[in-house]
Amino acid sequence: MLTYVHPKLPMRDKTQSKNYYLNQLGFVEVSDYGDYLILSKDNIEIHFFEFKELKPRKNYGQIYIRTNDINELYQSLIDNNTAIHPNGKLEIKPWGQKEFSVLDPDANLITFGQSIE
């Protein structure tokens, strides 16, 4: 019955969010509905809703995105000067995943992971 999940994340400034995801993470724009934005990359689609009063230090928005080539993805972001979360460097985790994380302009935590098994 279930086929896909499209996470929704808060954004304070659509232009800033769009710029980050398009230019830093390589997403493309799917739709722009004023206070609602849809971006995608490969098989991933993320929806964003306007939340101008969002306090980034109090934002707990986060998503986990699986990849089939974590090393290439990580290197592409490094080559693009995308900041990696200071506590989210590329490493193998005890739960059998190789992961790294970034924070978008609204402090949404985006973690990328690949199974090492």
Side-chain angles (χ1 to χ4, degrees), residues 41-110:
K41 180 175 182 176
D42 301 325
N43 294 319
I44 300 299
E45 187 174 283
I46 304 175
H47 296 216
F48 299 86
F49 61 95
E50 187 177 81
F51 185 9
K52 290 190 179 289
E53 298 78 27
L54 176 70
K55 306 282 188 255
R57 291 188 178 267
K58 295 186 178 193
N59 182 12
Y60 296 102
Q62 48 186 296
I63 58 174
Y64 191 99
I65 300 174
R66 294 206 178 269
T67 178
N68 60 9
D69 195 339
I70 192 103
N71 295 319
E72 182 179 328
L73 177 61
Y74 183 78
Q75 190 59 51
S76 72
L77 297 184
I78 295 297
D79 292 346
N80 198 30
N81 295 315
T82 302
I84 304 302
H85 188 289
N87 298 321
K89 65 181 180 178
L90 182 64
E91 62 185 4
I92 296 173
K93 301 293 187 177
W95 46 88
Q97 298 292 307
K98 192 170 189 180
E99 300 176 352
F100 73 93
S101 300
V102 299
L103 283 174
D104 77 5
D106 297 299
N108 291 302
L109 180 69
I110 314 300

Side-chain angles (χ1 to χ4, degrees), residues 9-70:
L9 296 174
M11 66 177 172
R12 292 171 297 158
D13 180 299
K14 182 174 58 181
T15 301
Q16 189 177 28
S17 293
K18 189 188 297 190
N19 180 55
Y20 179 79
Y21 282 87
L22 271 56
N23 298 319
Q24 295 296 303
L25 301 183
F27 279 69
V28 296
E29 184 177 327
V30 174
S31 300
D32 183 339
Y33 297 105
D35 61 354
Y36 199 85
L37 178 65
I38 302 173
L39 304 175
S40 72
K41 180 175 182 176
D42 301 325
N43 294 319
I44 300 299
E45 187 174 283
I46 304 175
H47 296 216
F48 299 86
F49 61 95
E50 187 177 81
F51 185 9
K52 290 190 179 289
E53 298 78 27
L54 176 70
K55 306 282 188 255
R57 291 188 178 267
K58 295 186 178 193
N59 182 12
Y60 296 102
Q62 48 186 296
I63 58 174
Y64 191 99
I65 300 174
R66 294 206 178 269
T67 178
N68 60 9
D69 195 339
I70 192 103

